[in-house]
Amino acid sequence: MNIISFLVTYLSVAAVYALLAISMNIDYGWAGIPDFGKAAFIAAGGIAAAIVATRIVPPLMLHMHPANPSKLSFFTYYNGKILPAITAHPIDTWIVFIISILLGGIIAAGFAVIFSYPAIRLKEDYLAIALLMAAQIVWLFLRVYTPIMGGTMSMTLPSPSFKPIARALFHSTSPSAIDAAKALFLWGLVGVFLYYAEKQMNSPFGRMLRMVRDDEYAAAALGKNVARARLESLIVASFLAGVAGAVYVLIHFSSVNPDYFMPDLTFFVLTLVLVGGVGNNIGSIIGALLIALLYRASYIFGTSLGFSWGSYLYYMIIGLAILITIFVRPNGILPEKPVRTPAWDVYALVRGKQPWFLRRILMRGRGKVNTGEKSE
Amino acid sequence: MRKVSDEVLIVDNVHKYFGGIRAVDGVSLKVPRGSIVGLIGPNGSGKTTLFNTISGFYKPNKGRIMFDGRDITGLPPHRIYKLGLIRTFQNPRVWRSLTVFENVLGSAKDQRGENMLLAMIHATWASQEKKLAKEALHWIDFTGLAPVDTRFAPEISGGQMKLLEVARALMGSAKMLLLDEPAAGVNPVMARKLFGGIERLRSEMGLTFLIVEHRLEILFDYVDYVYVMHRGRIVAEGKPEEVAENPVVHDIYLGG
């Protein structure tokens, strides 16, 4: 395998993981919600993509009958007629993509409201169990209820075409140019997620979520509506998870199958955040880059060993990564940063000095650092 | 009921049961506007349960609570806070990932930037945030927390955490404060300083205080009126010097 193509594929995979990790960082990292139902919210993106490709785009744009995945004739009709019709025009594949990510986000936000409703007022464990159960229900429901994505038979999806982008950027439509365009596009999307997350977090809203996470009783006593704050963070995070889910199926897999959203996906995404840094968006991206590398490398190495257990080597390596993180840097590779709002400008103006940690962010929790101003 | 009464807080026959335990068993008390009222009693007499009931953390099984002419029985804590009745906790509860400055700043009322959507539009909340930051610095100076205001909240001393809780309540534009053992675990000099500050707030801003405290020798120097609780009931009340000589109170405290 040549190194460039390995790198390009690796970067695309890492970008998709980074999208999922940023979404996990919002509810788990900022608001402290143990979102063990992330797989269900990611599945919402898959549901959206399947619905858009079978029932929304064919009648509205192609003047074709919608396809019903539960029918026997589905695959002849869908694979034979609809897919070629959509993929014939690159612009149509992008329309499918854009409708899917929006619809995926909306469905996921709706899921967040429904699934958290029974337990949003309760303490962490109950909410965690309720969300874990939701992920299990969504996965099993998609397996047995065939009209959405045809049950366990993988359904091919019209992946957005990167040919025009590759042609514009690299003046080439070779497979490697297309892969590079895909990786660039995905990292652009990561940039959008990161921009959004940083902006949302460095605001009084982000501060409120930390208050609710650190001490919900104090937050309630000082005027924060705890249940509402939790629900809002869950909605925001789930919307992003739905968008990321649509990207996951349309670009990463180009197909959809309920087993992509098995509940253990949640814990994979959680690993990215734990290793990268809980509460730090850049940390989540670094976690995604690191774990994706470990994953691909250990998979390739493991299968080349020739043992039957070689392909499971990955689990051991990831487990080791979690343990090392917990022992060496319990807050993750990049720990949480203070909330930055204009209030600190006022502080600097009135007190005539910058708060010590704005220059020493990375040193937090690494022992007492003598910065001169910290001591009185 | 008059719309505005001289009693800013009226607790009327409030009951709170946990299963068969009558933690608060028919308590009635009145706190006049601008006064400092003490609430004393041995451990387990129901003082903190009463505080939790008044501040909305528990819903009373029976009875009514009026604040500033409004019925607040059963309202959630964040609504009661908005009306200006703010409590502190027996064991200080601070937000550990925020600095002292942010702990105070974040307690402000009606922050526009706490709205999920407006938070994305910087211009809608930046000027308010700057105004609140100045106010927060004022309360930090008032409570004497200035030397530690950029420390993370868990790094400060227990006494400073008590002060931080008071600063947060002041930032929330409180009309009345419920202080749960403000002097517990604080050295006598600092405790006296704290009560001196309470007295100053009462005289300068007209704030009202209801204070649970075990250290009677300090409390009695500052309060106008004292209620004594025992086994969920008010067993004695009166001016501090009367209560100090009440034989019932002696019995309770010396093992009655």
Side-chain angles (χ1 to χ4, degrees):
Chain A
M1 185 189 284
N2 106 37
I3 189 78
I4 300 282
S5 81
F6 172 82
L7 213 63
V8 167
T9 330
Y10 156 65
L11 283 176
S12 309
V13 174
V16 174
Y17 291 168
L19 296 177
L20 298 175
I22 290 174
S23 138
M24 193 73 177
N25 189 37
I26 292 176
D27 49 15
Y28 179 74
W30 308 354
I33 296 171
D35 187 358
F36 289 179
K38 195 54 102 185
F41 305 126
I42 299 169
I47 294 170
I51 290 175
V52 169
T54 54
R55 302 179 197 247
I56 294 182
V57 164
L60 289 183
M61 285 170 44
L62 307 170
H63 308 290
M64 296 167 92
H65 289 292
N68 182 348
S70 68
K71 287 210 176 118
L72 274 178
S73 60
F74 170 73
F75 282 96
T76 24
Y77 177 51
Y78 177 77
N79 289 346
K81 294 259 174 67
I82 293 179
L83 267 184
I86 297 175
T87 46
H89 304 286
I91 200 92
D92 286 358
T93 60
W94 281 96
I95 290 173
V96 169
F97 177 72
I98 287 165
I99 303 177
S100 298
I101 59 174
L102 291 178
L103 188 66
I106 292 166
I107 293 177
F111 275 5
V113 176
I114 297 168
F115 295 149
S116 67
Y117 181 77
I120 196 79
R121 280 175 184 77
L122 298 177
K123 289 281 284 284
E124 288 99 41
D125 311 4
Y126 302 95
L127 188 57
I129 297 294
L131 289 170
L132 183 62
M133 209 170 62
Q136 190 80 19
I137 289 170
V138 166
W139 169 53
L140 291 175
F141 180 78
L142 289 175
R143 278 179 75 99
V144 296
Y145 186 74
T146 49
I148 295 177
M149 53 181 77
T152 51
M153 292 183 289
S154 278
M155 184 181 127
T156 314
L157 288 173
S159 190
S161 165
F162 288 96
K163 255 188 201 159
I165 298 178
R167 196 178 296 128
L169 285 176
F170 308 113
H171 309 291
S172 155
T173 52
S174 65
S176 54
I178 290 176
D179 281 350
K182 186 164 120 181
L184 274 178
F185 172 77
L186 287 170
W187 279 99
L189 211 55
V190 172
V192 172
F193 269 45
L194 178 66
Y195 173 79
Y196 167 78
E198 280 290 312
K199 210 156 175 196
Q200 184 76 275
M201 185 161 159
N202 287 307
S203 73
F205 176 75
R207 188 168 59 213
M208 176 176 72
L209 293 186
R210 286 201 196 181
M211 292 176 181
V212 168
R213 179 193 66 186
D214 287 354
D215 194 316
E216 60 173 303
Y217 297 105
L222 289 152
K224 314 300 174 207
N225 189 338
V226 173
R228 189 176 156 170
R230 283 207 186 119
L231 185 62
E232 280 178 351
S233 75
L234 203 56
I235 288 173
V236 168
S238 300
F239 185 89
L240 293 188
V243 171
V247 174
Y248 192 51
V249 294
L250 278 168
I251 298 181
H252 186 68
F253 288 117
S254 311
S255 65
V256 63
N257 182 327
D259 289 351
Y260 297 165
F261 315 114
M262 268 156 66
D264 65 350
L265 175 62
T266 302
F267 300 98
F268 176 72
V269 180
L270 191 58
T271 308
L272 307 177
V273 176
L274 283 179
V275 171
V278 178
N280 189 317
N281 296 316
I282 308 231
S284 304
I285 295 173
I286 290 175
L289 279 166
L290 184 71
I291 299 289
L293 185 65
L294 287 178
Y295 179 46
R296 299 215 34 105
S298 60
Y299 188 81
I300 291 168
F301 178 69
T303 45
S304 73
L305 285 178
F307 299 118
S308 59
W309 49 267
S311 57
Y312 296 107
L313 187 69
Y314 146 73
Y315 289 100
M316 302 176 209
I317 302 278
I318 301 291
L320 203 62
I322 296 175
L323 281 178
I324 291 173
T325 311
I326 287 170
F327 282 123
V328 180
R329 286 189 79 94
N331 296 326
I333 295 170
L334 286 185
E336 189 174 68
K337 286 192 285 187
V339 179
R340 297 190 72 165
T341 69
W344 285 114
D345 303 340
V346 175
Y347 180 88
L349 205 70
V350 174
R351 290 277 195 258
K353 63 177 187 196
Q354 282 284 332
W356 58 273
F357 54 78
L358 287 188
R359 284 179 283 120
R360 288 278 177 177
I361 286 164
L362 291 176
M363 299 306 289
R364 190 187 149 199
R366 306 284 298 163
K368 299 283 172 278
V369 181
N370 184 14
T371 56
E373 284 150 25
K374 204 186 154 191
S375 57
E376 33 191 303
Chain B
M1 183 62 67
R2 285 169 299 165
K3 206 74 194 115
V4 176
S5 60
D6 269 323
E7 276 87 29
V8 67
L9 180 76
I10 301 170
V11 174
D12 183 17
N13 193 24
V14 163
H15 295 250
K16 177 66 199 173
Y17 309 143
F18 297 103
I21 297 165
R22 300 176 159 225
V24 175
D25 191 12
V27 166
S28 299
L29 55 83
K30 284 177 179 166
V31 181
R33 195 179 296 277
S35 64
I36 301 176
V37 174
L39 179 62
I40 62 171
N43 290 329
S45 60
K47 307 180 299 291
T48 297
T49 307
L50 180 65
F51 260 36
N52 284 337
T53 313
I54 295 172
S55 58
F57 282 87
Y58 298 150
K59 284 193 168 62
N61 296 68
K62 216 164 105 183
R64 267 197 337 157
I65 302 161
M66 306 282 295
F67 176 68
D68 217 6
R70 290 184 59 163
D71 192 344
I72 59 163
T73 323
L75 284 187
H78 64 269
R79 297 272 310 277
I80 292 174
Y81 154 93
K82 286 214 166 70
L83 296 173
L85 178 59
I86 305 185
R87 68 166 297 178
T88 67
F89 294 90
Q90 194 170 351
N91 301 312
R93 289 179 171 273
V94 295
W95 297 302
R96 59 178 171 72
S97 69
L98 299 179
T99 56
V100 169
F101 173 55
E102 288 167 303
N103 263 267
V104 178
L105 175 65
S107 308
K109 208 152 105 174
D110 298 328
Q111 295 180 52
R112 266 177 237 129
E114 284 185 355
N115 181 301
M116 180 170 73
L117 301 172
L118 290 187
M120 289 303 291
I121 311 164
H122 201 265
T124 55
W125 52 266
S127 62
Q128 189 200 25
E129 175 88 354
K130 287 179 184 163
K131 216 181 82 214
L132 292 175
K134 282 194 191 118
E135 199 188 328
L137 287 172
H138 167 75
W139 289 123
I140 286 170
D141 291 337
F142 181 88
T143 45
L145 287 169
V148 293
D149 59 0
T150 54
R151 298 250 185 117
F152 287 95
E155 295 173 9
I156 63 178
S157 75
Q160 286 169 329
M161 285 189 192
K162 297 273 182 190
L163 291 171
L164 176 57
E165 289 221 314
V166 175
R168 290 196 309 198
L170 294 169
M171 189 67 198
S173 31
K175 289 179 197 159
M176 174 172 176
L177 279 88
L178 302 173
L179 304 180
D180 200 346
E181 300 200 23
V186 177
N187 69 59
V189 179
M190 196 147 178
R192 294 227 168 242
K193 232 170 96 184
L194 202 147
F195 272 96
I198 289 171
E199 200 144 64
R200 231 177 98 198
L201 285 169
R202 185 259 295 266
S203 57
E204 283 173 17
M205 299 177 55
L207 297 186
T208 312
F209 291 87
L210 177 61
I211 304 173
V212 165
E213 187 54 72
H214 275 303
R215 292 167 74 175
L216 308 184
E217 79 283 3
I218 300 175
L219 183 80
F220 279 9
D221 290 347
Y222 295 92
V223 292
D224 306 323
Y225 203 77
V226 179
Y227 287 94
V228 186
M229 265 185 98
H230 186 48
R231 298 193 178 160
R233 293 167 188 274
I234 300 279
V235 291
E237 58 181 282
K239 294 215 170 352
E241 51 274 20
E242 295 164 19
V243 168
E245 275 156 28
N246 191 327
V248 181
V249 179
H250 285 237
D251 280 356
I252 293 170
Y253 270 93
L254 301 174

